[in-house]
Amino acid sequence: MKKIIAWVLVLIISLTLVPNVHATGFKVEDKDLSESIHQYIEKRKEATVSVAIGVFKSGKVVYEGYYGYIDVENKLRASKDSIYEWGSVSKVLTWVSVMQLEGAGKIDFDEDIKTYLPKDFAKKLHYKHKVTMKDLMNHQAGFQEVTYPIEYQDAKDIPPIDQLLLSSEPKQIYTPGTVTAYSNWSTSLAAYVVESIASEPFYDYVKKHIFNPLNMTKTAIKPDWSDNTFVQSHRKQSKAYSYIDGDQSSFGQSVVHIGLYPSGAAAGTLDDYLKFTAEFTNPNTKLFQKADTLDRMLQATSQYTGHDIGRNYHGLWSMDYGTHLLGHSGNTQGFSSSIWFDPVSRTGYAVMTNEVGETTYNYGLSELFFGKPKVDIQPDDAISGVYFNKRTIDAEFLRMIKYFAGILPISKTDNAGVEKLMIGDIQFTHLGQHVYRQDDGNGLAFNLYKKGNAPVLEGFTSDYEQFKMIELVSAIMLLFSMLVTLVCVVISIIMNIIRCIRRKHRTIFARRNNIALFASTFNSIGFFYIWMGMNTYNPTAVLFISIMFIVLSLGIIANAIFQFYNKIKHNNTWANVCCALCLCLSVVVVIFFELYKFWI
């Protein structure tokens, strides 16, 4: 009897300590799938263009459905032949390829990736700190955002991937392994590692080792989709839209070609998409030769700081709804897609839409299938402040993007434990232990984790850091100086026109001010617009423009000194001096911004 009681106690304790797998699995019975999905869509049909949904369990598709129009204008309904773009879900093809090579003993995740790249290519890379394949998978290689042209109207303009990688290489601004910042360039570099090891183009490798084994006959990955004629021809039938808050916009075919194609160029049918995505729940997957490779891929490679919670799993991201889900989402100019699955219960779903930035289905279905997470408000440290996305540009030119894009301004509310975005309806609910639930109210919800005592929030795919007050002031000063500079140039032009009318423009002072006006105009307008218009970092061009700005600035300052000196000698007027001083403001702006690098 004592032994029985002891075993019962052990069982009770073990059930208390071990998560209930069934309680966190798929919530909808197979027989109810069709009706549940239909009701879900009906409630949202006014804001839906088309959506293709698939559900899979243990590697088998148990539901596949299509709703709406792939071409609204011509009433072409979505079907098994409709082509959708994968967007960033294409990256999963890279990570599967990497895992295949690792399983074959051809890649060591902790080795410097230069080991696997052609020597002439590796020598041209100029990052400072060692980068491993694990860093690339976790998006922790330390690279800032790139400034290359992401999309091309004509696929013929796209250079070979090795050339594009070198010409668009971003600066390494973080120490690898310390910051998570989503990176298209990093993923494409990983794909080039695969290409280098396999000694064949990446698209050929994917077709041979992923598409063919899974019988994916209606999927392409090349930038122009020329590796699959069916996709290339049927893609022309698909149109892109945006249905948001009653505003319905059509973008037509929205055909663009992605240069670093491994990061987002795949396109195909839902049927093919499911053949691939379902394999992540298949205990006998065809993706890998060794049975344990998939199990290893589904192990966390990065975690949230201070929490025993996986963040990235060999390239797959994680989100928490009714359970801890793994997967990936993607967007292009006109399409959105996603895959989310529970590795414990081996169940998941896949979504493809022809809407830009769609979240209701890509993320919202997680609540339908897996349930809502338990959200108990537990007031914690406030996180109010203005944050910037660490996936940004923080060095060299175009640094101003950091102050305009990806900003997260959070403010307090009257409710304890609830904060909100200053603009919009996004809320941040305190869950305790420095965990905060971000919810846009339209399906997309995920946890943010405060990084210890640092003013950093670790989010879904990127870290966010709170702006320092001095940097906020600098950004405001920059905007103000840009506006004032423009006003001063306009005033100077008006003053010169007045002098011309009064025939006072022929004096040496007026003529020099006219020359300075030209220099200042070019310095002001040229500085902002030439830099902003540059697509790639070209050292020669940057050096030339920098020297040009220095020469122009020296000329403007020299003119101001000349005008002021002659006023002291009583040979000039205050009008000319004021005009010269106004023009000097353009020089102040350039010096202050230090060619797009703040002085802090």
Side-chain angles (χ1 to χ4, degrees):
M1 180 60 69
K2 290 182 179 179
K3 289 184 177 180
I4 293 175
I5 294 174
W7 277 110
V8 170
L9 289 174
V10 171
L11 178 60
I12 292 173
I13 293 173
S14 65
L15 289 175
T16 303
L17 296 177
V18 179
N20 189 331
V21 173
H22 298 290
T24 59
F26 210 76
K27 300 297 183 182
V28 183
E29 297 291 336
D30 290 356
K31 61 183 178 62
D32 300 325
L33 268 175
S34 181
E35 181 60 25
S36 297
I37 293 174
H38 175 73
Q39 291 179 6
Y40 187 90
I41 293 175
E42 277 297 306
K43 292 179 181 179
R44 300 159 177 81
K45 63 180 181 181
E46 297 301 323
T48 302
V49 183
S50 84
V51 58
I53 302 172
V55 177
F56 43 86
K57 296 184 177 182
S58 297
K60 295 182 179 179
V61 177
V62 296
Y63 175 85
E64 183 176 342
Y66 303 84
Y67 181 91
Y69 298 94
I70 197 70
D71 181 346
V72 175
E73 289 81 1
N74 294 309
K75 300 298 180 183
L76 180 63
R77 299 195 69 85
S79 68
K80 280 198 171 187
D81 287 336
S82 296
I83 299 299
Y84 294 90
E85 296 178 4
W86 291 30
S88 286
V89 180
S90 306
K91 292 179 174 66
V92 183
L93 294 170
T94 296
W95 307 132
V96 168
S97 301
V98 168
M99 291 300 301
Q100 289 177 342
L101 294 177
E102 190 271 345
K106 297 181 179 180
I107 291 182
D108 181 343
F109 286 162
D110 296 317
E111 185 66 60
D112 192 326
I113 56 169
K114 288 184 178 180
T115 305
Y116 307 107
L117 295 169
K119 290 183 179 180
D120 60 334
F121 180 90
K123 288 180 180 178
K124 295 175 183 177
L125 292 174
H126 53 266
Y127 58 80
K128 296 185 296 184
H129 305 289
K130 170 186 173 183
V131 174
T132 67
M133 182 57 71
K134 185 181 292 185
D135 292 329
L136 297 180
M137 285 180 152
N138 291 335
H139 294 261
Q140 293 183 338
F143 298 112
Q144 69 176 9
E145 188 58 282
V146 295
T147 57
Y148 67 95
I150 298 176
E151 297 158 338
Y152 295 77
Q153 293 299 318
D154 192 339
K156 295 179 181 179
D157 295 333
I158 302 176
I161 189 170
D162 57 340
Q163 294 182 21
L164 187 51
L165 282 167
L166 290 174
S167 64
S168 64
E169 182 186 359
K171 192 176 183 64
Q172 192 179 46
I173 57 175
Y174 311 119
T175 302
T178 62
V179 172
T180 298
Y182 192 86
S183 173
N184 289 305
W185 191 87
S186 291
T187 304
S188 295
L189 180 61
Y192 187 61
V193 170
V194 173
E195 181 172 305
S196 301
I197 294 175
S199 298
E200 61 181 332
F202 179 69
Y203 51 80
D204 281 341
Y205 178 91
V206 169
K207 185 173 184 179
K208 185 185 300 182
H209 296 275
I210 299 178
F211 291 169
N212 289 347
L214 300 181
N215 194 30
M216 296 171 63
T217 60
K218 295 181 179 179
T219 303
I221 188 173
K222 290 185 70 174
D224 60 353
W225 309 302
S226 59
D227 51 327
N228 189 296
T229 55
F230 179 88
V231 174
Q232 193 175 43
S233 60
H234 280 68
R235 170 60 183 83
K236 299 174 183 177
Q237 298 176 5
S238 302
K239 290 185 178 180
Y241 303 86
S242 174
Y243 281 18
I244 300 178
D245 297 330
D247 181 19
Q248 300 181 351
S249 303
S250 174
F251 304 123
Q253 290 183 351
S254 190
V255 175
V256 292
H257 306 289
I258 299 174
L260 296 179
Y261 69 91
S263 292
T269 63
L270 173 67
D271 191 53
D272 262 18
Y273 193 58
L274 289 172
K275 291 176 182 177
F276 175 66
T277 57
E279 287 298 302
F280 290 99
T281 63
N282 188 352
N284 300 308
T285 180
K286 298 177 183 177
L287 289 175
F288 308 109
Q289 292 183 349
K290 294 182 179 180
D292 69 334
T293 304
L294 177 59
D295 293 334
R296 288 188 294 105
M297 184 175 186
L298 302 185
Q299 298 298 313
T301 47
S302 71
Q303 296 179 318
Y304 290 101
T305 303
H307 299 270
D308 189 23
I309 300 174
R311 184 179 189 180
N312 191 284
Y313 294 69
H314 293 91
L316 296 173
W317 296 105
S318 65
M319 292 214 305
D320 292 288
Y321 282 84
T323 187
H324 193 62
L325 302 176
L326 308 185
H328 213 294
S329 292
N331 289 280
T332 61
Q333 276 197 359
F335 296 81
S336 305
S337 66
S338 66
I339 159 187
W340 295 104
F341 64 93
D342 173 17
V344 178
S345 63
R346 295 186 182 276
T347 56
Y349 73 93
V351 172
M352 306 184 94
T353 76
N354 58 336
E355 293 185 56
V356 179
E358 201 285 325
T359 61
T360 302
Y361 298 107
N362 282 288
Y363 299 98
L365 282 171
S366 294
E367 287 193 358
L368 173 66
F369 295 143
F370 297 99
K372 294 184 177 181
K374 187 178 181 181
V375 179
D376 291 332
I377 298 178
Q378 299 182 32
D380 205 339
D381 292 345
I383 56 172
S384 56
V386 181
Y387 295 78
F388 66 91
N389 193 330
K390 300 286 274 187
R391 178 191 178 184
T392 188
I393 295 176
D394 200 41
E396 296 164 348
F397 68 98
L398 288 182
R399 190 172 189 259
M400 70 156 46
I401 289 177
K402 174 181 177 180
Y403 306 93
F404 296 98
I407 301 300
L408 194 68
I410 302 175
S411 63
K412 296 180 180 180
T413 67
D414 295 332
N415 299 324
V418 177
E419 297 178 70
K420 68 179 184 68
L421 204 64
M422 293 180 186
I423 301 175
D425 300 323
I426 296 178
Q427 286 193 341
F428 302 85
T429 303
H430 296 202
L431 304 182
Q433 298 182 338
H434 299 323
V435 183
Y436 308 83
R437 183 76 172 174
Q438 178 179 329
D439 192 339
D440 72 350
N442 196 35
L444 178 57
F446 54 89
N447 293 342
L448 294 167
Y449 297 80
K450 189 176 179 182
K451 191 173 182 178
N453 295 321
V456 175
L457 298 176
E458 297 179 331
F460 175 26
T461 61
S462 183
D463 294 346
Y464 289 83
E465 183 175 347
Q466 190 171 5
F467 276 117
K468 298 176 183 177
M469 181 57 67
I470 189 172
E471 194 162 11
L472 276 178
V473 172
S474 298
I476 294 172
M477 289 178 63
L478 169 66
L479 292 174
F480 179 74
S481 62
M482 288 173 63
L483 178 61
V484 174
T485 300
L486 179 61
V487 171
C488 287
V489 169
V490 172
I491 291 175
S492 296
I493 293 174
I494 293 175
M495 291 176 66
N496 273 278
I497 292 175
I498 293 175
R499 282 201 298 267
C500 287
I501 294 174
R502 294 179 177 179
R503 298 183 180 278
K504 294 183 179 181
H505 63 287
R506 295 179 181 177
T507 66
I508 186 173
F509 308 111
R511 285 200 301 270
R512 292 202 176 188
N513 260 342
N514 288 337
I515 295 174
L517 172 64
F518 170 79
S520 180
T521 302
F522 196 87
N523 221 21
S524 303
I525 300 176
F527 176 74
F528 294 113
Y529 291 96
I530 289 179
W531 281 111
M532 291 295 288
M534 291 184 67
N535 292 320
T536 57
Y537 179 78
N538 186 313
T540 303
V542 170
L543 179 61
F544 172 77
I545 295 174
S546 299
I547 293 175
M548 178 182 65
F549 286 139
I550 291 173
V551 172
L552 291 175
S553 297
L554 290 175
I556 294 169
I557 294 173
N559 174 64
I561 295 173
F562 173 79
Q563 300 284 357
F564 191 74
Y565 174 78
N566 279 278
K567 174 56 184 172
I568 294 176
K569 294 292 186 180
H570 304 290
N571 295 325
N572 200 1
T573 65
W574 279 114
N576 285 325
V577 174
C578 290
C579 180
L581 292 176
C582 284
L583 296 176
C584 281
L585 187 60
S586 67
V587 179
V588 175
V589 172
V590 173
I591 294 175
F592 170 75
F593 202 35
E594 287 186 322
L595 297 180
Y596 278 65
K597 184 175 182 181
F598 279 95
W599 40 268
I600 59 175

